[in-house]
């Protein structure tokens, strides 16, 4: 059985667990594939096509994927490690998490968003009506770990090896 690439984000409504049912029913020769409600990009990242158009109304996701697409994996991993150290993030440090969340809501830095999702409750992504990230801290539950890191590396590698075009149409 094929091992599918899993998005490093825990995206509500993600299709990772359904890939074994979705991918086999797609045509084998796809020129342009449109992932209309891309979300965590679990379908689009696992499709073989000449071009993959990934659309989602959450601009911050597309910006994150484009960042991953354009930057070196080692540079990305270093930024993650540096952010974790800067805010002393752990499964117990709520104050560091809150400080990073404030920073993200001011700067909208996509790497801060990724790190926030690692330490948020159930690794969720959610924004309020002001487009501020508002997920509570995932005390004793959530953290950046080896599994997320492995998924991230595979995900970035796929983004950089294939032709992905991102948009944020309603």
């Amino acid at each position: 059985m094929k091992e599918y690439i899993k998005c490093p984000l825990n995206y509500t409504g993600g299709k990772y667990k359904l890939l074994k049912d979705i991918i086999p029913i797609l045509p084998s020769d796809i020129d342009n594939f449109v992932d209309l409600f891309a979300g965590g990009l679990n379908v689009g990242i696992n499709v073989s096509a000449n071009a993959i158009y990934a659309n989602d109304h959450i601009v911050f996701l597309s910006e994150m994927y484009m960042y991953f697409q354009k930057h070196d994996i080692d540079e990305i991993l270093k930024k993650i490690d540096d952010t974790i150290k800067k805010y002393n993030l752990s499964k117990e440090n709520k104050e560091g998490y809150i400080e990073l969340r404030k920073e993200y809501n001011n700067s909208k830095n996509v790497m801060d968003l990724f790190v926030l999702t690692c330490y948020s409750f159930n690794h969720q992504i959610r924004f309020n009506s002001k487009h501020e990230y508002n997920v509570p801290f995932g005390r004793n539950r959530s953290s950046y770990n080896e599994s997320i890191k492995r998924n991230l590396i595979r995900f970035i590698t796929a983004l950089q090896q294939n032709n992905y075009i991102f948009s944020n149409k309603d």
Side-chain angles (χ1 to χ4, degrees):
M1 187 165 104
K2 181 179 176 176
E3 184 180 344
Y4 294 110
I5 297 167
K6 184 176 189 317
C7 177
L9 304 168
N10 182 23
Y11 196 82
T12 302
K15 306 292 184 283
Y16 180 75
K17 292 180 180 178
L18 300 173
L19 290 174
K20 67 184 182 338
D21 298 319
I22 296 171
I23 300 297
I25 63 173
L26 296 175
S28 59
D29 187 26
I30 302 173
D31 190 29
N32 295 306
F33 180 82
V34 178
D35 195 345
L36 192 55
F37 306 102
L41 200 60
N42 281 306
V43 176
I45 202 84
N46 285 287
V47 168
S48 179
N50 293 327
I52 296 134
Y53 294 84
N55 182 74
D56 199 275
H57 73 281
I58 300 178
V59 174
F60 313 120
L61 285 177
S62 298
E63 289 173 347
M64 183 187 304
Y65 300 150
M66 288 186 285
Y67 185 92
F68 290 162
Q69 195 176 38
K70 295 175 184 169
H71 290 84
D72 179 70
I73 291 174
D74 290 332
E75 176 188 332
I76 292 168
L77 296 176
K78 182 175 181 345
K79 283 184 183 269
I80 292 167
D81 288 340
D82 289 349
T83 301
I84 291 168
K85 287 176 188 162
K86 178 178 178 181
Y87 293 94
N88 195 28
L89 297 173
S90 69
K91 289 183 178 184
E92 293 85 31
N93 186 2
K94 181 178 181 177
E95 293 76 22
Y97 173 83
I98 298 298
E99 198 59 38
L100 175 58
R101 191 172 67 185
K102 284 180 192 172
E103 176 62 29
Y104 170 74
N105 284 330
N106 287 328
S107 71
K108 301 297 190 229
N109 178 300
V110 295
M111 289 307 302
D112 288 347
L113 175 60
F114 178 77
V115 175
L116 271 173
T117 66
C118 293
Y119 290 89
S120 67
F121 180 76
N122 286 344
H123 303 277
Q124 293 180 350
I125 298 173
R126 185 181 68 215
F127 300 92
N128 64 22
S129 61
K130 296 178 184 176
H131 302 286
E132 295 173 325
Y133 188 79
N134 66 352
V135 181
F137 179 56
R139 181 176 302 282
N140 295 323
R141 298 175 60 104
S142 303
S143 67
Y144 179 68
N145 55 52
E146 284 303 312
S147 177
I148 292 172
K149 183 177 179 179
R150 273 191 311 277
N151 291 338
L152 178 62
I153 291 168
R154 290 186 72 215
F155 190 84
I156 292 170
T157 301
L159 280 176
Q160 293 178 354
Q161 291 176 347
N162 296 300
N163 184 19
Y164 291 90
I165 300 102
F166 296 97
S167 63
N168 303 105
K169 307 294 181 195
D170 192 349

